[in-house]
């Protein structure tokens, strides 16, 4: 639960934007001007006319102090709403004492509306006591803008439509942790299974605390854990990460298109993330954002639980993207005998090969490239030959994903696989992809990307909460919650 205080010029949209965000997130909305009018039982214009600005400012300070005390004194668990959005009058931030009270309430967000937009909207009809004419507007804007900027933790620009500013503010508040302390971010995000997966893990820990290794008290770290999803478009990532730094989000899972793009916004890149050049997990360690990659270790774990190991195996990886790079690196690190990269881009395969070679252990893994477009019919000799010596074939392309996605042209390449080979499809939607079905029809052992998804999620939660989970039992318990589709 977090609280937000909105500051900015009169007419900047603080109240309407604040109300929108509060309604969207189930938060309480308060406006200091409304609280003052209610207390004084007369409109602001009359207070100014009868008692002058100093009297109003005193009332304003009392109200902000009152809200700060209420926030301090009512324990979070006893509040009716998911936090508070407080819109304060345009002049409130000019008093340093008010800014201190605001900091005691929550994060301060400056709604920055450019002067020309304010000029367009404001009518000098006496409703805003300090805005008698354009000259006064310019004077207030010039004086207050640096004060707002100095006081605010974050700013949101309101220069286009209301909808644009409302969505930007909503995203900022979400990324500060208003809905959940753990989030998956990506674009699109509606399809993501991560909220279901992590909520299933937290529910499992609640009913079986022994799934957290190393003592019952460690399971308390999961008490009240909440997991949500936020759509973050490419252009919004910088703002979103600034909000994470200012707010209460403790951990992120990162999906397409941000796995590489997020790296410059982090303080440290650890373990597999550095090797793969891609991050799927971010842990907020007291304000220091550390990026990890649990995808590759998740796949390794999922394979091992089916008795399949990279060590000494000939591993064919279909695709030359992020997942393919991580899989090749992990296979090299685990002493695969040979890695065959099958894809459309020799250039990308060569970059993967260089990264994997650096990680290769004592096995001196051989790395080869076979050029093939899986949407084209036919079985080139080079591909057939590579497949014939493959022990583990991993599809790391999105082919076969969803009901309307792109597909493999045919599966004749599977005919040449050894009978004891294993086919893994990183695609998990549908759970039984056409590739998995085709391999099963040929009597080949298979596994769907759902196991990798679940394992990487378990590993992310271990990093988020600083614990070790009973991985196999957790995996089986969570897998039960995902029906075959
Ligand atoms: P990516 O970086 O976009 O890479 C996709 C790769 O597929 C690209 O190299 C692309 O080749 C290749 N490709 C596409 N069509 C192809 C074709 N017809 N023939 C040959 N290669 C083709 O995506 P990613 O991040 O690696 O993800 C790949 C898939 O893995 C996605 O479906 C994702 O959802 C899934 N995934 C699953 C998990 C899990 O937990 N199960 C985790 C991570 C990723 P070009 O470079 O030539 O375009």
């Amino acid at each position: 639960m977090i609280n937000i205080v909105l500051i900015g010029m009169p007419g900047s949209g603080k109240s309407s934007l604040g109300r929108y965000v509060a309604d969207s997130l189930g938060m309480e909305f308060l406006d200091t001007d409304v609280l003052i009018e209610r207390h004084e039982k007369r409109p602001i214009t009359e207070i100014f006319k009868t008692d002058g600005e100093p009297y109003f400012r005193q009332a304003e300070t009392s109200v902000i102090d009152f809200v700060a005390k209420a926030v301090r004194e009512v324990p979070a668990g006893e509040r009716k709403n998911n936090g508070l959005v407080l819109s304060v009058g345009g002049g409130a931030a000019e008093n340093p004492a008010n800014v201190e009270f605001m900091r005691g309430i929550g994060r301060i967000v400056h709604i920055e509306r450019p002067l020309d937009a304010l000029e367009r909207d404001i009518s000098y009809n006496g409703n805003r006591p300090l805005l008698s004419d354009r000259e006064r507007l310019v004077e207030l804007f010039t004086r207050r803008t640096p004060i707002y900027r100095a006081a605010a933790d974050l700013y949101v620009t309101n220069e286009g439509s209301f909808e644009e500013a409302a969505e930007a503010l909503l995203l900022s508040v979400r990324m500060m942790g208003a809905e959940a302390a753990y989030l998956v971010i990506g674009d699109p995000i509606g399809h993501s299974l991560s909220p279901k997966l992590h909520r299933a893990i937290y529910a499992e820990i609640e009913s079986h605390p022994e799934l957290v290794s190393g003592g019952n008290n460690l399971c308390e770290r999961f008490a009240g854990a909440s997991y949500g999803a936020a759509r973050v478009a490419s252009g919004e990532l910088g703002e979103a990460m600034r909000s994470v730094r200012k707010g209460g989000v403790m951990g992120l899972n990162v999906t397409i298109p941000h796995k590489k793009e997020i790296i410059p916004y982090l303080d440290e890149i650890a373990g597999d993330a550095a090797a793969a050049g891609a991050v799927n997990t971010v842990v907020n360690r007291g304000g220091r954002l550390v990026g990890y990659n649990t995808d590759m270790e998740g796949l390794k774990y999922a394979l091992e639980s089916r008795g399949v190991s990279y060590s000494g195996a000939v591993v064919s990886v279909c695709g030359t993207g992020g997942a393919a790079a991580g899989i090749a690196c992990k296979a090299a690190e685990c002493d695969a005998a040979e890695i065959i990269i099958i894809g459309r881009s020799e250039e990308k395969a060569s970059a993967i090969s260089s990264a994997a070679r650096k990680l290769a252990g004592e096995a001196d893994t051989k790395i080869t490239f076979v050029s093939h477009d899986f949407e084209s019919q036919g079985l080139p000799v080079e591909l057939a030959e590579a497949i014939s010596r493959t022990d583990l074939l991993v599809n790391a392309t999105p082919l076969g994903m969803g009901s309307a996605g792109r597909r493999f042209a045919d599966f004749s390449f599977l005919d040449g696989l050894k009978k004891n080979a294993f086919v893994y499809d990183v695609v998990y939607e549908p759970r039984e992809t056409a590739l998995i079905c085709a391999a099963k029809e040929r009597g080949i052992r298979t596994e769907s990307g759902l196991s990798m998804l679940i394992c990487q999620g378990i590993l992310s939660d271990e990093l988020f909460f600083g614990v070790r989970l009973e991985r196999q039992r957790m995996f089986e318990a969570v897998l039960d919650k995902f029906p075959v589709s």
Side-chain angles (χ1 to χ4, degrees):
M1 179 190 283
I2 59 155
N3 302 316
I4 303 294
V5 181
L6 301 181
I7 60 173
M9 283 291 287
S12 59
K14 297 181 298 274
S15 296
S16 46
L17 292 169
R19 201 179 294 279
Y20 174 84
V21 167
D23 286 349
S24 305
L25 299 178
M27 298 168 82
E28 184 177 10
F29 175 76
L30 293 173
D31 182 323
T32 54
D33 282 355
V34 173
L35 292 174
I36 293 167
E37 287 185 332
R38 215 177 278 159
H39 183 255
E40 292 279 330
K41 298 188 179 59
R42 53 191 175 140
I44 302 280
T45 44
E46 202 187 308
I47 300 173
F48 266 81
K49 208 185 297 167
T50 320
D51 297 299
E53 187 178 353
Y55 179 91
F56 171 80
R57 292 293 167 209
Q58 217 163 17
E60 187 173 55
T61 298
S62 303
V63 159
I64 299 171
D65 181 25
F66 175 81
V67 175
K69 281 195 182 110
V71 163
R72 237 185 357 256
E73 284 160 19
V74 182
E78 288 174 25
R79 291 182 212 152
K80 286 191 300 251
N81 299 288
N82 298 327
L84 165 73
V85 180
L86 176 71
S87 167
V88 303
E94 290 196 281
N95 179 349
N98 290 345
V99 175
E100 275 314 298
F101 294 143
M102 290 180 213
R103 288 197 206 292
I105 294 169
R107 301 295 174 198
I108 304 177
V109 181
H110 174 201
I111 305 296
E112 198 164 81
R113 188 143 173 87
L115 184 60
D116 57 342
L118 288 171
E119 278 185 297
R120 228 178 19 244
D121 298 345
I122 286 178
S123 44
Y124 308 104
N125 57 7
N127 280 345
R128 299 184 191 273
L130 294 178
L131 292 180
S132 46
D133 52 35
R134 184 183 177 277
E135 213 175 308
R136 188 83 171 108
L137 172 68
V138 174
E139 189 262 311
L140 279 184
F141 182 88
T142 312
R143 192 178 78 222
R144 287 179 178 174
T145 297
I147 293 173
Y148 295 142
R149 287 182 181 165
D153 294 300
L154 285 169
Y155 69 91
V156 166
T157 309
N158 179 11
E159 57 187 346
S161 67
F162 171 83
E163 287 73 23
E164 279 167 350
E167 287 312 313
L169 180 61
L170 189 60
L171 178 62
S172 269
V173 178
R174 275 205 173 106
M175 294 304 295
M176 281 191 267
E179 277 180 314
Y182 299 91
L183 287 172
V184 57
I185 60 167
D187 184 21
I189 203 63
H191 71 290
S192 174
L193 291 179
S194 290
K196 182 177 172 183
L197 164 63
H198 289 274
R199 287 173 197 158
I201 293 174
Y202 305 158
E204 212 49 48
I205 289 169
E206 206 177 330
S207 43
H208 301 286
E210 72 280 6
L211 288 174
V212 181
S213 317
N216 266 0
N217 58 336
L218 287 177
C219 70
E220 283 162 19
R221 296 185 186 177
F222 289 83
S226 52
Y227 195 101
R231 190 180 77 85
V232 177
S234 284
E236 296 171 336
L237 186 61
E239 268 317 304
M241 294 311 290
R242 265 187 285 284
S243 301
V244 167
R245 284 184 185 279
K246 296 291 178 184
V249 164
M250 300 306 297
L252 294 175
N253 285 115
V254 184
T255 185
I256 291 169
H258 303 312
K259 285 186 176 185
K260 280 187 196 304
E261 287 68 15
I262 199 162
I263 289 175
Y265 300 104
L266 305 178
D267 300 305
E268 188 185 330
I269 306 298
D272 284 353
V279 164
N280 80 329
T281 302
V282 177
V283 185
N284 186 345
R285 299 202 188 285
R288 191 172 165 74
L289 301 182
V290 185
Y292 297 88
N293 191 317
T294 64
D295 280 339
M296 302 320 142
E297 195 57 34
L299 174 56
K300 180 175 167 258
Y301 187 82
L303 288 169
E304 281 170 358
S305 63
R306 293 291 312 273
V308 178
S309 159
Y310 288 128
S311 174
V314 175
V315 181
S316 286
V317 184
C318 311
T320 49
I327 292 162
C329 286
K330 192 49 98 187
E333 191 186 295
C334 297
D335 290 332
E338 183 180 0
I339 298 166
I340 305 167
I341 302 165
I342 310 168
R344 302 183 293 201
S345 163
E346 186 159 11
E347 198 186 331
K348 289 184 191 170
S350 160
I352 294 175
S353 173
S354 310
R357 234 175 265 289
K358 284 190 201 134
L359 293 165
E362 288 172 9
D364 194 22
T365 306
K366 187 173 157 201
I367 305 178
T368 43
F369 171 66
V370 172
S371 173
H372 186 61
D373 181 339
F374 284 102
E375 285 161 287
S376 313
Q377 298 278 351
L379 182 62
V381 178
E382 216 191 345
L383 176 62
E385 202 278 315
I387 293 286
S388 70
R389 55 177 199 277
T390 296
D391 300 304
L392 167 63
L393 181 123
V394 185
N395 171 40
T397 77
L399 298 177
M401 188 165 76
S403 51
R406 288 155 47 212
R407 327 230 139 262
F408 283 88
D410 71 71
F411 295 107
S412 57
F413 63 92
L414 294 177
D415 294 334
L417 274 175
K418 299 177 204 166
K419 281 292 164 227
N420 64 347
F422 194 94
V423 170
Y424 194 92
D425 195 345
V426 295
V427 172
Y428 52 80
E429 180 63 52
R431 188 158 154 190
E432 294 263 293
T433 59
L435 174 71
I436 293 279
C437 294
K440 276 185 174 170
E441 279 163 18
R442 289 163 173 82
I444 293 161
R445 291 178 305 147
T446 62
E447 180 72 61
S448 118
L450 187 61
S451 61
M452 174 179 176
L453 182 83
I454 294 174
C455 292
Q456 64 77 34
I458 293 171
L459 297 176
S460 288
D461 278 318
E462 288 188 354
L463 291 167
F464 289 156
F465 295 94
V467 296
R468 172 90 188 195
L469 298 175
E470 293 295 335
R471 293 179 182 174
Q472 191 57 33
R473 277 186 61 197
M474 181 61 88
F475 172 69
E476 284 160 15
V478 172
L479 188 64
D480 272 354
K481 310 244 162 66
F482 290 85
V484 180
S485 58

